[in-house]
Amino acid sequence: MKYLKIRWIAVLLVAVGTSFFFGFKSGDNRSFQVAKNLDIFNSIVKELDMFYVDTIDPNKTIRTGIESMLYSLDPYTQYFPEDDQSELEQMLKNTYGGIGSIITWNTKLKRSMIAEPYEHMPAATVGLKAGDILMEIDGKDLAGKNNQEVSEMLRGQVGTSFKLKVQRPGTEQPLEFDIVRRSIQLPFIPYYAMLDNNIGYINLSTFSGNPSKEFKQAFLDLKKQGITSLVIDLRNNGGGLLDEAVEIANFFLPRGKTLVTTKGKTKQASNTYKTLREPLDLEIPLAVLVNSATASASEILAGALQDYDRAVVVGNRTFGKGLVQTTRPLPYGGTMKLTTSKYYIPSGRCVQAIDYKHRNEDGSVGRIPDSLTTVFHTAAGREVRDGGGVTPDITVKQDKLPNILFYLVNDNLIFNYATEYCLKHPTIPAPKDFKITDADYADFKAMVQKADFKYDQQTEKILKNLKEMAEFEGYLTDASDEFKALEKKLSHNLERDLDHFSKDIKEMIAVEIIKRYYYQRGSIIQQLKDDKDLKEAVGILTAPEKYKEMLSVPPVKPDEGKKEK
């Protein structure tokens, strides 16, 4: 019956589309083209439904067509049908109904497992631990189901309950838990604290929901503790609501300042956002930490504070998302999130880095080259550019993670070691005091060796390609001795690599262990111990003259002001 109804609707759409097709005046070319192509699309669906050799699923077929059409525009314009509204709600409100845990895939057992329960959420409250293998939900075996399918089963309406069976490492019999789904609110501010030199630190993870309220409380609490400067950490913050970025910027900028201007096709899409309230603090020195995953609303906050010379931006160039999305209701309970405008920060620049309108012949898109960007100026007259995210005032060179670390993480060896470590250690010191000892690392190396761990070495691949090219061009015979010597030096040596890259590997192990006891807050504390971006921020905040100089226009040298005749 439902299928017949869908077919009837499709036929009706064809009829309606046809009436539009003949109803437009020949001079109204754009409307004609829209109606024409709608008619063609409806006819194709009808013909497929009636004559295709196999029975098609109309929902799946049309959904595929919709998604392909929208993706040809930009990756942010999306369709959410009625049964997929929870994903949109999580995106907008930073909440969902579930147990509050990240799950990951156990490649050996081919099952999902708990990777990280969130503090104070149902998973952690009932006693689920990282490493627990998910076996059954309400008696249904989860074997053969991927992470996405398991995640959908764990989520549901707030207040509903289910029985979860898990196999915990170190225990013989499976464990069962009765869990009640709750509204899962991901932390806006997973960690804030006063660091040395009376420097405040606030880690802001998202602009979805209402983070400005918690940010204000955190800042005022730090002020009571006696901070004299502040670091705002926006690294890996993918954005959220534009209004929230404006609200937080208003804490440090005077009332009446223009922060964002949006420009779109319609009047509703074009707006100007100004600071509407009295600020909390106009004088406290600020540093903002950013990286390549700092995007959207995060770039508005970082860019606005930079454009008004209110903060020193530290880190690496941001993602470059200068597009604004809004939601539009659709028939049958669906919703479309679509890009309606571009936003421009106070200097007048747009940070959008990718030009989706002008695609290459193969459909790919690329970043706008620096040579095509335009110079703008901050309030003090400092040069800034558009078209490529927010470029930091202080760029920090990041260390590249070793190749071996990727494979250790991908093979769950660090995760598995942390699980075994927790079975042997009921408690550990506070995050600021915890460290991986030489004995701990020796145990880890022994576990890796026992696991017969294998990984690709890029040098070996490149050397192999070089040999093939040398042979092709006739150089291999004369250079054979050199190649043999190089192969000997680059031979695979797991023991050597584990020792050579021990610092990075130990850091990853420590993070994985600490979050088992102190959750996300603990892992942040661990990562801040040797944080290059934070060190640079502290350096500039503890040097008042340098801080002031950095936010001012460099003085013009006598010869620079003269023009050649």
Side-chain angles (χ1 to χ4, degrees):
M1 190 72 176
K2 182 178 180 182
Y3 181 72
L4 290 174
K5 183 178 179 182
I6 292 172
R7 290 185 58 183
W8 180 82
I9 291 170
V11 174
L12 178 62
L13 286 172
V14 172
V16 172
T18 304
S19 66
F20 280 134
F21 181 84
F22 290 109
F24 287 117
K25 297 177 181 179
S26 58
D28 191 358
N29 186 58
R30 184 171 185 78
S31 297
F32 171 79
Q33 293 297 331
V34 170
K36 167 187 167 183
N37 285 286
L38 282 173
D39 191 29
I40 292 171
F41 182 81
N42 284 321
S43 295
I44 289 173
V45 173
K46 180 183 177 183
E47 295 298 316
L48 287 172
D49 186 41
M50 293 181 67
F51 299 114
Y52 186 67
V53 62
D54 295 321
T55 301
I56 68 168
D57 180 342
N59 290 322
K60 183 178 180 181
T61 301
I62 296 175
R63 177 75 181 269
T64 301
I66 291 171
E67 289 179 347
S68 296
M69 173 180 64
L70 298 182
Y71 190 76
S72 70
L73 303 175
D74 66 52
Y76 313 113
T77 299
Q78 297 172 282
Y79 165 59
F80 297 88
E82 183 179 17
D83 59 357
D84 205 9
Q85 294 296 301
S86 60
E87 183 181 347
L88 179 63
E89 183 177 358
Q90 181 184 352
M91 192 181 301
L92 297 175
K93 299 180 180 179
N94 201 41
T95 62
Y96 63 93
I99 68 171
S101 174
I102 297 173
I103 61 172
T104 190
W105 186 250
N106 186 302
T107 52
K108 184 178 180 180
L109 300 176
K110 299 191 183 308
R111 283 181 177 271
S112 296
M113 64 179 174
I114 299 293
E116 182 182 349
Y118 295 131
E119 193 171 10
H120 307 308
M121 294 292 117
T125 302
V126 300
L128 287 172
K129 297 182 180 296
D132 287 347
I133 307 298
L134 305 184
M135 306 299 291
E136 296 179 2
I137 294 179
D138 282 338
K140 296 178 182 177
D141 192 352
L142 300 178
K145 297 188 181 298
N146 59 36
N147 275 347
Q148 180 63 33
E149 293 171 315
V150 173
S151 179
E152 290 174 359
M153 294 177 70
L154 291 172
R155 294 187 182 191
Q157 187 175 348
V158 174
T160 57
S161 62
F162 66 96
K163 190 177 292 293
L164 177 65
K165 180 183 287 187
V166 305
Q167 182 65 58
R168 176 165 295 170
T171 62
E172 294 184 3
Q173 296 299 320
L175 305 175
E176 289 193 349
F177 297 91
D178 292 312
I179 305 178
V180 179
R181 296 181 179 92
R182 281 174 44 193
S183 177
I184 305 303
Q185 176 71 67
L186 302 180
F188 300 131
I189 300 176
Y191 179 67
Y192 75 92
M194 184 167 75
L195 310 178
D196 294 336
N197 302 302
N198 295 326
I199 296 174
Y201 171 87
I202 299 178
N203 186 301
L204 181 60
S205 65
T206 181
F207 285 88
S208 297
N210 185 25
S212 59
K213 183 178 179 181
E214 284 193 20
F215 187 98
K216 180 179 180 179
Q217 293 173 344
F219 177 64
L220 293 178
D221 184 31
L222 290 172
K223 290 271 284 185
K224 288 181 181 178
Q225 295 180 40
I227 63 167
T228 54
S229 58
L230 176 67
V231 175
I232 303 172
D233 194 344
L234 298 180
R235 292 174 297 181
N236 303 314
N237 185 325
L241 302 178
L242 185 152
D243 289 339
E244 288 297 302
V246 172
E247 186 73 15
I248 293 175
N250 195 168
F251 295 156
F252 306 104
L253 292 169
R255 184 176 183 176
K257 292 287 186 180
T258 298
L259 291 182
V260 186
T261 302
T262 61
K263 297 178 183 179
K265 185 186 295 183
T266 65
K267 184 178 180 181
Q268 295 91 329
S270 302
N271 291 291
T272 298
Y273 297 82
K274 296 185 176 183
T275 53
L276 301 176
R277 312 177 196 281
E278 292 301 320
L280 297 178
D281 195 322
L282 291 176
E283 302 298 330
I284 189 168
L286 302 174
V288 179
L289 306 185
V290 298
N291 64 7
S292 59
T294 301
S296 193
S298 294
E299 293 175 288
I300 291 176
L301 177 58
L305 293 175
Q306 185 182 56
D307 282 356
Y308 280 118
D309 307 291
R310 183 64 186 86
V312 172
V313 180
V314 179
N316 284 265
R317 185 187 291 192
T318 62
F319 181 82
K321 181 178 180 290
L323 306 175
V324 180
Q325 287 74 45
T326 56
T327 58
R328 300 285 299 174
L330 296 174
Y332 302 99
T335 305
M336 182 164 65
K337 178 173 71 73
L338 74 159
T339 301
T340 53
S341 57
K342 292 183 178 180
Y343 71 77
Y344 301 81
I345 51 180
S347 63
R349 55 181 167 148
C350 178
V351 301
Q352 180 62 26
I354 298 176
D355 187 0
Y356 292 105
K357 185 177 180 181
H358 300 100
R359 291 179 177 266
N360 301 320
E361 290 185 5
D362 62 357
S364 63
V365 292
R367 292 179 69 91
I368 298 171
D370 290 343
S371 59
L372 296 181
T373 59
T374 305
V375 173
F376 291 81
H377 294 89
T378 69
R382 296 183 298 141
E383 285 191 1
V384 288
R385 287 185 172 269
D386 67 355
V390 176
T391 300
D393 302 304
I394 300 175
T395 298
V396 181
K397 184 178 180 180
Q398 300 298 312
D399 295 330
K400 291 184 178 180
L401 294 177
N403 186 45
I404 187 175
L405 186 57
F406 169 82
Y407 288 96
L408 288 170
V409 172
N410 192 60
D411 288 3
N412 284 329
L413 288 172
I414 289 178
F415 185 91
N416 293 341
Y417 175 77
T419 300
E420 291 183 10
Y421 185 95
C422 293
L423 292 174
K424 300 174 184 176
H425 300 82
T427 62
I428 63 171
K432 64 183 182 65
D433 300 319
F434 179 80
K435 67 177 182 178
I436 299 296
T437 66
D438 291 340
D440 294 333
Y441 195 61
D443 290 342
F444 172 76
K445 290 196 297 181
M447 186 197 76
V448 174
Q449 296 278 10
K450 187 178 179 181
D452 194 26
F453 172 62
K454 296 288 191 299
Y455 65 100
D456 292 333
Q457 286 190 309
Q458 296 302 312
T459 49
E460 290 181 355
K461 288 184 175 181
I462 294 171
L463 181 59
K464 181 181 178 182
N465 292 336
L466 181 61
K467 282 184 67 176
E468 291 174 353
M469 186 57 65
E471 183 177 18
F472 178 74
E473 295 185 347
Y475 297 113
L476 182 60
T477 302
D478 292 339
S480 60
D481 292 340
E482 287 80 358
F483 271 111
K484 288 178 182 178
L486 191 56
E487 284 175 339
K488 187 176 182 180
K489 288 186 176 181
L490 297 178
S491 61
H492 188 88
N493 188 327
L494 177 60
E495 182 74 24
R496 174 260 179 200
D497 289 349
L498 288 172
D499 289 336
H500 184 75
F501 298 111
S502 61
K503 181 177 181 295
D504 292 313
I505 298 172
K506 282 182 177 180
E507 167 67 18
M508 190 67 76
I509 294 172
V511 169
E512 186 60 46
I513 290 175
I514 286 174
K515 69 183 180 184
R516 306 289 181 99
Y517 299 88
Y518 297 100
Y519 302 96
Q520 187 181 10
R521 173 176 52 88
S523 67
I524 292 173
I525 295 172
Q526 171 63 27
Q527 292 174 75
L528 291 179
K529 289 178 182 178
D530 189 26
D531 191 313
K532 287 188 173 183
D533 294 345
L534 181 60
K535 287 180 180 178
E536 288 288 345
V538 169
I540 194 69
L541 291 174
T542 52
E545 292 301 320
K546 188 176 179 181
Y547 175 85
K548 183 178 179 181
E549 180 183 339
M550 183 158 286
L551 295 178
S552 305
V553 179
V556 178
K557 296 179 181 179
D559 293 340
E560 290 180 354
K562 298 179 181 179
K563 295 182 179 180
E564 293 185 8
K565 295 182 180 179

